[in-house]
């Protein structure tokens, strides 16, 4: 749903121009520094980029799902690290509060997240809870007016720089699977909370990822999201259903950018007395990539509109995330091919970095295999009328 066409048009134009003029020249620096410069983070705060998905009453833009994915197509047409700086606040790091937080919790944290004064992060994955996300071992024990958290979270985006963590922990001892899980807000600085060293990764330099440790970490009982125990996994599924559409859009922007770069290169590069872009075998890669980008955009927009209409998008969100992340990998591979040797050499092109950056899309927020299983499960359930 688009609430105000002109306002949205202005936002998209602003993002498009900003990404091209400000971010594209910075991509190498961000990779070398393995950090997004604070001056850029200040610009993102001033432009309101941190608050896209946070409701207006809490200082955000309150974008609808359709508006959010349209903005995500634009902001993701640069190195992943740049959009990842705001990405947890506009997605997994704030959404549990938006979906299920109490009024008091929303008022306390969302305005600061919308303003970019606090960086949020979602800590679900653990050493023994990856694809089996319900196998959470982190415990939360109620003691008077506090919960005591113990456990370890793994591969948490923005953990090294986050101020506020949404943490999933087992509040019901001896429970199994999704029952007995609760979601909490934990603030940096709470004794017993520690983040690990940022990992060395295959790509996405500048988007820090680390472990998070809880060692008798004592948090006020009022930090239980929604004030209700045992519903943490339901909250996280709400977060992920929306986030899968958001992430699918964030997988589509890099594909658009890679194809642009590859077309430019093939038009300039001369072999056999002409641009390599004249060769039909190169044009086939352009056609396949453009077709898949179009398919990705179309399905994401349709699912986003359905979500805005209040429809259940569990199946379509899963299909979008699966298709868009795999599509982006295929476009990355073709783009390297269209660049030839220059696509493999980072001194000659940014395609080598994109190729590495986008590889993670097929792994996080549900691997492709988990989405295949989920899609099949939902289709087969509908098929048998159960
Ligand atoms: C860069 C990065 C950032 C991340 N950010 C976050 C974050 O911010 N917050 C967070 O909570 N998590 C985050 N994650 C974790 C991410 O969601 C997990 O890595 C992902 O869910 C996969 O879990 P795993 O790594 O344990 O893989 P595993 O579950 O060990 O999977 C290994 C392989 O087995 C396959 N597999 C597993 N089960 C099945 C099955 N039943 N059938 C078929 N195949 C199967 C998988 O598809 C995969 O190919 C991040 C990960 C990365 C790499």
């Amino acid at each position: 749903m688009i609430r105000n066409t002109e306002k949205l048009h202005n936002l998209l134009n602003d993002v498009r121009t900003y990404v091209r003029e400000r971010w594209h020249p910075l991509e190498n620096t961000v990779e070398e520094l393995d950090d997004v410069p604070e001056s850029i983070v200040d610009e993102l705060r001033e432009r309101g980029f941190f608050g896209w998905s946070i409701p207006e009453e809490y200082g955000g833009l309150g974008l609808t799902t359709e508006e959010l994915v349209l903005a995500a197509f634009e902001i993701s047409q640069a190195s992943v690290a740049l959009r990842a700086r705001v990405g947890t606040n506009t997605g997994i790091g704030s959404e549990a509060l938006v979906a299920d937080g109490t009024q008091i919790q929303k008022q306390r944290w969302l305005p600061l997240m919308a303003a970019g004064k606090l960086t949020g992060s979602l800590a679900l994955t653990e050493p023994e809870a990856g694809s089996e996300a319900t196998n959470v071992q982190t415990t939360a024990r109620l003691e008077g007016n506090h919960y005591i958290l113990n456990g370890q979270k793994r591969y948490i985006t923005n953990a090294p720089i986050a101020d506020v963590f949404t943490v999933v922990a087992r509040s019901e001892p001896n429970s199994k699977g999704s029952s007995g899980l609760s979601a909490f807000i934990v603030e940096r600085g709470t004794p017993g909370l520690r983040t690990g060293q940022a990992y060395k990764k295959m790509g996405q330099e500048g988007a820090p990822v680390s472990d998070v440790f809880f060692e008798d970490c004592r948090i006020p009982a009022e930090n239980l999201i929604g004030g209700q125990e045992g519903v943490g996994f339901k909250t996280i599924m709400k977060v992920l259903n929306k986030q899968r559409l958001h992430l699918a859009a964030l997988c589509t922007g890099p594909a658009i950018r890679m194809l642009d770069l590859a077309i430019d290169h093939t038009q300039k590069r001369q072999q056999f007395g002409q641009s390599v872009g004249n060769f039909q075998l190169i044009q086939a890669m352009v056609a396949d990539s453009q077709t898949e980008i179009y398919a990705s955009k179309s399905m994401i927009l349709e699912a986003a509109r359905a979500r805005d209409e209040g429809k259940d998008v569990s199946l379509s969100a899963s299909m979008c995330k699966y298709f868009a992340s795999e599509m982006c990998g295929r476009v990355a591979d073709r783009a390297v091919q269209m660049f030839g040797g220059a696509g493999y050499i980072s001194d000659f092109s940014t395609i080598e970095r994109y190729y590495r950056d986008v590889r993670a899309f097929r792994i996080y927020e549900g691997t492709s295999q988990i989405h295949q299983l989920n899609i099949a499960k939902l289709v087969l359930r509908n098929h048998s009328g159960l």
Side-chain angles (χ1 to χ4, degrees), residues 92 122 124-125 130-131 155-157 363-365 367 369 373:
I92 52 175
L122 171 69
L124 169 65
T125 304
S131 296
Y155 310 144
I156 306 305
T157 299
I363 296 170
Y364 53 43
E365 293 178 31
T367 64
Q369 290 69 41
L373 293 175

Side-chain angles (χ1 to χ4, degrees), residues 88 92-93 121-133 153-159 166 168 199 201 203-204 207-210 240 357 359-373:
T88 45
I92 52 175
S121 185
L122 171 69
L124 169 65
T125 304
E126 298 186 357
E128 302 306 323
S131 296
E132 192 184 356
K153 295 292 177 179
R154 175 146 290 174
Y155 310 144
I156 306 305
T157 299
N158 282 345
T166 299
V168 182
Y199 293 115
K201 310 191 289 321
Q204 303 195 3
V209 177
S210 77
L240 290 180
D357 278 1
R359 186 62 185 85
F361 295 164
R362 291 148 66 189
I363 296 170
Y364 53 43
E365 293 178 31
T367 64
S368 291
Q369 290 69 41
I370 292 304
H371 283 289
Q372 284 177 301
L373 293 175

